[in-house]
Amino acid sequence: MKSRHLVVNLLILALIRECSSNLEELYGTCDDSFSCGNISGFKYPFRRHQDPVYCGYPGFELNCDEENPPTINITNINYRVLSIDPTSQILRIMREDMADSVCPQVLVNTTIDNNLFSHTSSYMNISYLFGCPVSIDDTGVIGSIFCNNSGVDHVILSYGARGPGSCKTSVILPVPDRFMAPSDLGPFVHQGFEVKWNVGVGPCTDCMQSGGQCMYSNISSLTTCACPEPPFLADSCLSDNKTRVSSSPSSVKHLFP
């Protein structure tokens, strides 16, 4: 019986040491700032696809290719990242399926995750109406364009977020609020639209100012701070402001999925 307890205690001690080592190795595994494609200045909450998952907040994974602009998937839509302003937390994006066309190739509405992002106030919605009958309610109609996709050539443009009504389908797209006519569509579509990200900023600023690195905790579902010295995970790395984050074996297991 004593030998069994001894074995159990040795296993527990080994596990605790392994967990402590893993926590100590966390600091330095994520970049404070990085480039993706041809754009620099990305920081937490963003991470690259190849980075450890804890280096970024869920929903902020970037696909990076040196030969192509970075992309991000938001609500199952691939967006091309055109620019980033870390100070203002502004990301300029455009639909990847419209990079070479003024017409959406994937007939779904342009949506964002409102828990993570918000639109800036200088945009309005327009609607693409596909497969419409000869006569429709022309309230808000701007004009028409030719798309030649999905077997539909003649597409009607309308102001506002409009459902398909008597048409086969509709696609909603945000454009600058100075949009006036179909002839404006190309430049406005390809300059994209701006969104502001709403997570991870305050805690991450405090963390970085204290000499730590921002990471995402699967335990708390919040931003945490990796420190070069014990307790290694905390709210801040300042010695007088350290609130230890749980470093139990289960915590480490979930932090390294």
Side-chain angles (χ1 to χ4, degrees):
M1 181 66 70
K2 289 184 178 180
S3 62
R4 181 180 299 177
H5 283 303
L6 178 61
V7 171
V8 171
N9 288 336
L10 289 174
L11 288 173
I12 292 174
L13 180 60
L15 181 59
I16 291 174
R17 286 176 176 173
E18 179 184 355
C19 294
S20 176
S21 175
N22 285 340
L23 286 173
E24 185 175 359
E25 293 170 0
L26 271 179
Y27 184 83
T29 58
C30 303
D31 292 327
D32 291 335
S33 178
F34 62 91
S35 297
C36 182
N38 58 349
I39 300 177
S40 60
F42 289 102
K43 300 178 181 180
Y44 185 91
F46 296 94
R47 72 173 178 90
R48 291 162 295 202
H49 173 74
Q50 66 270 27
D51 291 334
V53 294
Y54 53 78
C55 288
Y57 200 95
F60 288 85
E61 179 185 311
L62 296 165
N63 289 303
C64 302
D65 182 341
E66 292 183 0
E67 299 179 357
N68 296 295
T71 60
I72 184 171
N73 187 284
I74 305 174
T75 61
N76 296 318
I77 299 175
N78 285 323
Y79 290 96
R80 178 176 295 187
V81 179
L82 303 178
S83 65
I84 183 173
D85 182 346
T87 303
S88 301
Q89 302 163 225
I90 296 293
L91 201 65
R92 181 178 290 275
I93 56 178
M94 67 169 292
R95 286 179 56 143
E96 180 71 4
D97 66 317
M98 300 181 71
D100 300 315
S101 172
V102 297
C103 301
Q105 306 303 302
V106 181
L107 302 186
V108 296
N109 288 331
T110 309
T111 56
I112 59 173
D113 187 336
N114 292 316
N115 293 315
L116 304 180
F117 300 94
S118 58
H119 284 286
T120 60
S121 59
S122 58
Y123 291 84
M124 67 179 186
N125 286 318
I126 62 170
S127 297
Y128 291 72
L129 303 177
F130 292 83
C132 298
V134 175
S135 177
I136 68 166
D137 178 8
D138 62 359
T139 303
V141 169
I142 307 167
S144 62
I145 60 174
F146 289 92
C147 283
N148 193 27
N149 62 333
S150 301
V152 179
D153 291 332
H154 186 251
V155 178
I156 294 175
L157 296 178
S158 178
Y159 287 117
R162 182 168 174 171
S166 58
C167 305
K168 290 183 178 180
T169 189
S170 66
V171 174
I172 299 170
L173 180 76
V175 294
D177 56 10
R178 60 186 183 276
F179 175 81
M180 296 294 294
S183 58
D184 300 330
L185 196 57
F188 284 166
V189 165
H190 295 141
Q191 77 178 35
F193 58 95
E194 293 179 340
V195 292
K196 182 182 178 69
W197 67 87
N198 305 318
V199 301
V201 179
C204 188
T205 300
D206 295 340
C207 171
M208 294 185 68
Q209 288 178 348
S210 71
Q213 290 186 326
C214 304
M215 295 183 179
Y216 178 77
S217 169
N218 281 331
I219 301 300
S220 64
S221 298
L222 296 171
T223 298
T224 189
C225 193
C227 303
E229 299 176 351
F232 301 122
L233 284 180
D235 292 335
S236 168
C237 296
L238 295 175
S239 58
D240 59 348
N241 191 33
K242 285 185 178 179
T243 301
R244 185 183 182 92
V245 176
S246 173
S247 59
S248 67
S250 60
S251 299
V252 177
K253 178 181 178 181
H254 286 87
L255 197 58
F256 293 91

